[in-house]
Amino acid sequence: MARSVVLGNGGLTVGLNESGLVHDFYYPYVGLENLTTARSEPHRIGVWVDDSFSWLDAPDWEKNVSFNDDALISDISMVNNDMQIQLHLGDFVDAKHDIFARNVRVRNLSNRKRNIRLFFHQVFQISADGRADTVMFVPDGPYLLDYKGRCSILAYAETASGAVFDQYAVGNAGIEGKEGTFRDAEDGELSMSTVEHASVDSTLRVSLTLEPGAIDDVHYWLAVADSQTELERLHHLMLGIGFEIRKTATLRHWHDWMATANQRIASLPDNYKNAIKKSLLTIKAHTDASGGIIASCDSSIYNYGRDYYSYVWPRDGAYAIWPLIKLGYTLEPKKFFSFCKSIMHPDGYMMHKYQPDRAIGSTWHPLLHGKSKELAIQEDETASVIFMLGEYLKYSKDQSFVNSMYDEMVRPMAEFMCRFIDKETGLPHASYDLWEEKFLTSTYTVSNTYAALLVAADMARIQGIEADSDRWQSIADLIARHSDALFDEEEGHYVKGFLLKADSTINYDKTLDISSFFAVHSFKYGSEKHQADTLLAIERDLLDISPSLGTARYENDNYFASDPKYKGNPWFVTTLWLAQYYAQSGDKDKAVKYIDWALANTTSSGLLSEQISPLDSRIVGVTPLVWSHAELINAILDL
């Protein structure tokens, strides 16, 4: 199940599913920790009227779940024609405070006066084992409190006129044969139970009386903090300043943030302009206040994969900030580079991936290949950071910041890349490829490393450090001289890569991989003729070979493959790479074709997944994927 809306403030991050319900609730970092039981149950919202009850994820609701083009505020419309009820949800995470807030506008569509009851259900899992939480009713709030150790969550609801929720229930959920207090709501009444511990949930009720055609609003919020004292401060802030004032302040915050991009995209067609705005907001929602940018906060991947995507891959983060750099943003790139400096290994390389709190993430890269000890890394993740720092300097002219990164990050990374060379080939030593699957010297990594060393040499030259500049330039030149080793004349394209074995023999992986073409073109490595030949092979063997169009990452990609005969699922990243090439080379029609293809395959809320099915364009993989949105912006800007 995709996340149709992602809301956040750089700390508290909330993912809403296709029914507009809370399915992910991350705190205190973006992507860490997920405080919901997201793999099984969302938080629920229910409506009772005329002795009839319905949860909002039931099929009798017509739903349109989206978010604003210029603010991380949801725009969710729902109608239940049988119940003659219309709802509109405007949700936001407060820009300044760790509060998730919902405004639920209720319209009575019938021609008679009615009593309508809204039920808000919360199911948190604060304890790692889900068995040691406490939930209780706090009468002096009043509010419901869910807590364990240094994490406390408050739930509260009232009408727009200030009438406080009139019923509540707390209890066990998912243990001892108990589903949860949400079942208690289905008769329109709650038990008023006051405390429970272990695996728990809770439900609030707000009652409205609406004349025919009348509208009223309900305000609901969840506040989270590391103590009940701080929690009550946030609660009283909302009660005192007022819900609408905090919503307006958050809206203003996002308008101010979007102003940087708006100056540069104002002349674009509306569909492209809106796509860039939503993509920027999606990237920003996944950007932690400490600088890390996670790949996706869609936890549903855990139901069919081995892990989440809520990690900071240095390469993905570098690509995520590229469009921000181009559009004039400086704060997020600088925080990202500072984050990378703080997590870099002392020997000058980046590890596979990291948590947003700077801890090393999980990996499947071994330290031993055959009898050889190897680093569990993808070298391109080191090179990507240096290359992107060069892009930041090119667009921002912020020489002082780049200078501040030189001794503690640029030099150690460049020195590592210079050491990580095989004398037999003159090319980078084997590491894992950018797709995290093959251990080899890949065309992509070679190209990226070459470009990064040129960037580092230029940085050294600007500072007058000729020894560094000459050394790094010489290794880049060495890599350039051996580019033909990565082109297969018989196949007519750049290979995926090769593995230099202990006996000095070389095993080639001749797979046609779009990353090879993207890298040699984008990082200006190898000959233009070989680039052109590789593109022809891609257009012949990979592009638009399925009913869904687009292109897989490489031949016979089996990651979540929907139908093997199409050689893999179409990916947004790779297809948009081709759109960028066509735009840069002046083939506007083809660029437009694949940009529009991407827009046609977004969710109803405008989000891009990782992949789509080659048969029916059904989304596959996490949704949203930050990298997909970054490449969409880049493609539109190139066009």
Side-chain angles (χ1 to χ4, degrees), residues 4-5 7 16 20 63-69 71-78 87-92 102-103 247 278 604-605:
S4 295
V5 179
L7 308 171
L16 308 182
K63 309 177 187 76
N64 181 23
V65 180
S66 190
F67 63 101
N68 292 2
D69 291 338
L72 282 179
I73 297 177
S74 76
D75 183 4
I76 302 171
S77 298
M78 299 187 175
L87 302 178
H88 181 270
L89 281 65
D91 311 317
F92 63 96
R102 315 195 82 145
N103 184 84
K247 183 176 181 180
K278 286 204 166 185
S604 60
S605 60

Side-chain angles (χ1 to χ4, degrees), residues 180-479:
T181 59
F182 69 93
R183 289 299 184 197
D184 187 27
E186 292 174 345
D187 63 356
E189 303 288 340
L190 293 175
S191 67
M192 307 294 281
S193 50
T194 58
V195 67
E196 191 52 270
H197 75 290
S199 179
V200 295
D201 76 337
S202 62
T203 307
L204 295 171
R205 188 186 82 174
V206 177
S207 298
L208 301 171
T209 300
L210 293 182
E211 299 291 338
I215 296 172
D216 202 354
D217 287 357
V218 173
H219 298 158
Y220 166 86
W221 58 80
L222 298 170
V224 58
D226 61 2
S227 70
Q228 188 177 358
T229 300
E230 174 61 14
L231 206 62
E232 292 190 345
R233 186 190 71 80
L234 295 176
H235 184 49
H236 291 137
L237 180 144
M238 287 292 283
L239 291 171
I241 294 177
F243 183 98
E244 291 298 334
I245 290 177
R246 291 313 309 158
K247 183 176 181 180
T248 299
T250 298
L251 181 64
R252 187 182 307 114
H253 164 84
W254 288 114
H255 286 176
D256 290 345
W257 187 80
M258 288 296 301
T260 298
N262 285 337
Q263 297 171 15
R264 292 161 173 81
I265 65 174
S267 62
L268 290 177
D270 285 345
N271 61 330
Y272 289 170
K273 183 162 52 182
N274 292 339
I276 285 180
K277 288 180 177 182
K278 286 204 166 185
S279 293
L280 285 171
L281 289 168
T282 301
I283 295 170
K284 181 64 172 172
H286 288 78
T287 302
D288 190 82
S290 66
I293 305 172
I294 66 169
S296 178
C297 72
D298 178 5
S299 70
S300 64
I301 184 72
Y302 203 80
N303 293 321
Y304 50 90
R306 295 182 178 183
D307 204 346
Y308 300 108
Y309 274 37
S310 54
Y311 294 100
V312 182
W313 278 264
R315 173 192 49 256
D316 292 42
Y319 277 118
I321 64 167
W322 204 353
L324 275 69
I325 289 169
K326 293 176 181 178
L327 289 169
Y329 291 93
T330 58
L331 178 62
E332 291 80 8
K334 288 198 290 186
K335 283 191 172 185
F336 172 74
F337 294 125
S338 296
F339 179 90
C340 290
K341 182 178 73 172
S342 71
I343 59 176
M344 181 189 71
H345 188 277
D347 288 340
Y349 56 83
M350 307 300 289
M351 297 297 290
H352 179 185
K353 63 182 189 282
Y354 299 83
Q355 295 185 163
D357 63 354
R358 294 181 168 85
I360 295 175
S362 58
T363 189
W364 46 92
H365 298 341
L367 293 169
L368 197 66
H369 287 269
K371 295 181 180 180
S372 299
K373 291 189 293 183
E374 301 287 354
L375 296 177
I377 67 168
Q378 301 158 55
E379 188 190 5
D380 75 281
E381 299 211 86
T382 303
S384 294
V385 173
I386 294 299
F387 175 82
M388 208 55 65
L389 184 61
E391 290 293 285
Y392 173 75
L393 178 59
K394 180 173 73 175
Y395 282 93
S396 70
K397 313 302 181 188
D398 187 357
Q399 188 67 57
S400 63
F401 175 78
V402 174
N403 290 350
S404 73
M405 305 297 288
Y406 187 86
D407 288 331
E408 295 183 60
M409 189 177 82
V410 175
R411 178 181 283 128
M413 285 187 172
E415 289 294 318
F416 166 76
M417 289 185 282
C418 287
R419 294 193 305 271
F420 205 64
I421 297 286
D422 288 324
K423 293 180 180 178
E424 297 91 334
T425 65
L427 294 172
H429 184 67
S431 65
Y432 277 87
D433 71 335
L434 82 161
W435 307 130
E436 309 173 285
E437 297 170 336
K438 294 287 186 74
F439 181 77
L440 78 176
T441 295
S442 70
T443 299
Y444 177 89
T445 298
V446 170
S447 304
N448 195 8
T449 302
Y450 164 75
L453 284 171
L454 291 179
V455 167
D458 283 343
M459 291 177 179
R461 192 173 300 114
I462 290 171
Q463 294 203 57
I465 309 175
E466 297 299 331
D468 284 354
S469 180
D470 292 346
R471 184 167 59 258
W472 302 340
Q473 180 72 52
S474 68
I475 297 298
D477 292 342
L478 175 66
I479 294 172

Side-chain angles (χ1 to χ4, degrees), residues 546-584:
S546 75
S548 296
L549 306 179
T551 178
R553 296 182 296 178
Y554 53 84
E555 294 174 295
N556 304 316
D557 180 2
N558 63 9
Y559 183 57
F560 295 141
S562 302
D563 192 324
K565 73 181 179 181
Y566 295 118
K567 301 184 180 180
N569 297 337
W571 277 56
F572 288 103
V573 166
T574 52
T575 306
L576 289 165
W577 277 349
L578 293 179
Q580 292 164 30
Y581 168 79
Y582 293 132
Q584 293 164 15

Side-chain angles (χ1 to χ4, degrees), residues 43-246:
H43 295 199
R44 301 168 184 268
I45 298 178
V47 178
W48 179 95
V49 62
D50 299 334
D51 293 322
S52 178
F53 186 91
S54 180
W55 295 109
L56 295 193
D57 56 358
D60 50 340
W61 290 91
E62 298 176 10
K63 309 177 187 76
N64 181 23
V65 180
S66 190
F67 63 101
N68 292 2
D69 291 338
D70 54 2
L72 282 179
I73 297 177
S74 76
D75 183 4
I76 302 171
S77 298
M78 299 187 175
V79 176
N80 188 314
N81 290 317
D82 292 335
M83 299 181 82
Q84 294 184 288
I85 293 291
Q86 181 184 68
L87 302 178
H88 181 270
L89 281 65
D91 311 317
F92 63 96
V93 169
D94 192 288
K96 187 177 180 181
H97 307 286
D98 291 327
I99 301 168
F100 166 69
R102 315 195 82 145
N103 184 84
V104 183
R105 178 155 292 175
V106 185
R107 182 189 294 269
N108 177 12
L109 299 179
S110 76
N111 58 8
R112 62 188 185 281
K113 184 178 180 179
R114 309 167 88 193
N115 176 257
I116 300 168
R117 301 171 188 171
L118 294 186
F119 292 86
F120 297 92
H121 164 249
Q122 303 77 223
V123 54
F124 291 106
Q125 183 174 299
I126 304 173
S127 302
D129 58 5
R131 290 283 181 133
D133 294 355
T134 298
V135 63
M136 63 171 59
F137 173 67
V138 180
D140 290 339
Y143 57 83
L144 296 183
L145 173 66
D146 201 317
Y147 72 92
K148 172 66 178 179
R150 300 292 293 175
C151 183
S152 300
I153 306 171
L154 175 154
Y156 176 81
E158 65 180 18
T159 66
S161 61
V164 177
F165 63 92
D166 59 354
Q167 285 192 1
Y168 56 87
V170 302
N172 292 124
I175 60 170
E176 301 170 359
K178 299 173 183 177
E179 291 184 83
T181 59
F182 69 93
R183 289 299 184 197
D184 187 27
E186 292 174 345
D187 63 356
E189 303 288 340
L190 293 175
S191 67
M192 307 294 281
S193 50
T194 58
V195 67
E196 191 52 270
H197 75 290
S199 179
V200 295
D201 76 337
S202 62
T203 307
L204 295 171
R205 188 186 82 174
V206 177
S207 298
L208 301 171
T209 300
L210 293 182
E211 299 291 338
I215 296 172
D216 202 354
D217 287 357
V218 173
H219 298 158
Y220 166 86
W221 58 80
L222 298 170
V224 58
D226 61 2
S227 70
Q228 188 177 358
T229 300
E230 174 61 14
L231 206 62
E232 292 190 345
R233 186 190 71 80
L234 295 176
H235 184 49
H236 291 137
L237 180 144
M238 287 292 283
L239 291 171
I241 294 177
F243 183 98
E244 291 298 334
I245 290 177
R246 291 313 309 158

